[in-house]
Amino acid sequence: SSSSSLAVLLTTAVQQPQSRLYHATPIRMGGFKQNRGTGDSGKSSLFNNERRWKDDITFEAVGTIDELSALLGVCRSQCTRAEFQLGDVIEVLTRIQCCLQDVGAHVATPPESSDRKRKLTSFDSEMVEWINGEIDRFGDQLPPIRQFILSGGGVAASSLQHARAVARRAERTMIPLVRDEQIDPKALKFVNRLSDLLFVLGRYTCMKCEEEELTYLRPTEFTDQRWMRRNLHE
């Protein structure tokens, strides 16, 4: 039953270390029918039911946050298929997707919404502290960086670096909303720190998969030098 499935999901979340409760949203099994076509005219609704054009800065931010979450789903799938054990990375990516769901809901709730809706989607500042803790947890296992590195290090690691770049773009779309006092600045801080975490996770995944990390060379030196390759797992 749906109630027993919800209980199992919440119990599992509580048992995990450094965890946040997952939001368990009921899924309609009858297909996607409700409100079909309401955006055909180029407008959509925010959480307070206000209709705006889809190129509004709020929808730009919400859409980029959604794109980031979708890309993290790809990263998670790639980590699942990896030959090496990446359960810790898969776990943190799942929790990040849950956090991004909350960030998107917060962004989609304008300040003029009802008190009830603003309280429901208020940003949880503890997510920033959680991100900082994860940066330290994974970063402490990596060798220091002494020069710029190139994105790569295997499919999963490359995708995590791609996600880092999308997180930076999501952050840029949120800046006008912070400047206009439409969203909590801590939500922007979370996405900024998230890009740092994804950079660390990309390097960590490269190390766990025993791939090589390439460093930057000045283009004028291409003909005379070999790329420096570093095995992070050694």
Side-chain angles (χ1 to χ4, degrees):
S1 67
S2 60
S3 59
S4 60
S5 298
L6 176 61
V8 170
L9 179 60
L10 293 179
T11 300
T12 302
V14 170
Q15 291 174 346
Q16 295 295 334
Q18 301 182 11
S19 66
R20 299 180 64 253
L21 288 180
Y22 293 143
H23 282 193
T25 304
I27 300 174
R28 295 180 178 273
M29 302 307 292
F32 183 67
K33 295 182 179 180
Q34 189 177 23
N35 299 325
R36 180 188 296 172
T38 58
D40 288 350
S41 63
K43 288 187 176 182
S44 191
S45 297
L46 297 173
F47 186 48
N48 64 348
N49 297 320
E50 177 188 350
R51 300 285 292 179
R52 293 189 188 180
W53 291 104
K54 291 183 179 181
D55 61 356
D56 183 86
I57 58 173
T58 300
F59 284 126
E60 185 68 27
V62 170
T64 310
I65 292 166
D66 183 41
E67 179 186 353
L68 174 58
S69 181
L71 181 52
L72 291 179
V74 174
C75 295
R76 186 161 45 81
S77 297
Q78 290 169 340
C79 289
T80 301
R81 295 193 186 100
E83 177 184 352
F84 301 90
Q85 294 297 320
L86 294 170
D88 49 356
V89 177
I90 294 169
E91 173 66 20
V92 74
L93 291 178
T94 304
R95 296 184 184 283
I96 290 170
Q97 286 184 288
C98 292
C99 291
L100 288 174
Q101 191 77 14
D102 287 354
V103 173
H106 171 69
V107 171
T109 307
E112 57 270 22
S113 303
S114 66
D115 290 343
R116 183 185 69 83
K117 288 190 174 182
R118 283 191 290 110
K119 183 177 180 180
L120 187 64
T121 61
S122 62
F123 181 76
D124 182 1
S125 60
E126 289 187 2
M127 292 197 296
V128 177
E129 299 308 314
W130 175 75
I131 281 281
N132 285 332
E134 295 298 271
I135 292 172
D136 292 339
R137 180 163 74 99
F138 287 95
D140 288 347
Q141 302 178 59
L142 294 169
I145 296 178
R146 293 183 172 84
Q147 60 192 111
F148 290 113
I149 64 171
L150 305 180
S151 295
V155 175
S158 301
S159 294
L160 285 164
Q161 297 297 351
H162 182 190
R164 171 192 56 79
V166 175
R168 288 296 189 194
R169 176 153 51 87
E171 179 188 4
R172 293 193 294 272
T173 65
M174 294 168 66
I175 288 175
L177 298 172
V178 171
R179 196 160 48 219
D180 294 341
E181 299 182 348
Q182 296 293 301
I183 62 174
D184 190 333
K186 295 192 207 60
L188 180 68
K189 184 176 182 179
F190 170 83
V191 177
N192 177 54
R193 299 292 174 84
L194 174 56
S195 62
D196 293 337
L197 174 58
L198 292 172
F199 176 77
V200 170
L201 288 176
R203 295 192 70 218
Y204 177 83
T205 300
C206 175
M207 178 184 71
K208 294 288 283 188
C209 292
E210 300 182 2
E211 297 280 354
E212 292 181 329
E213 185 175 81
L214 297 181
T215 55
Y216 164 80
L217 280 182
R218 190 180 299 276
T220 55
E221 300 173 351
F222 284 177
T223 57
D224 302 324
Q225 294 189 28
R226 292 172 58 85
W227 254 280
M228 183 179 294
R229 299 173 182 269
R230 185 179 196 181
N231 290 319
L232 299 183
H233 59 282
E234 291 181 350

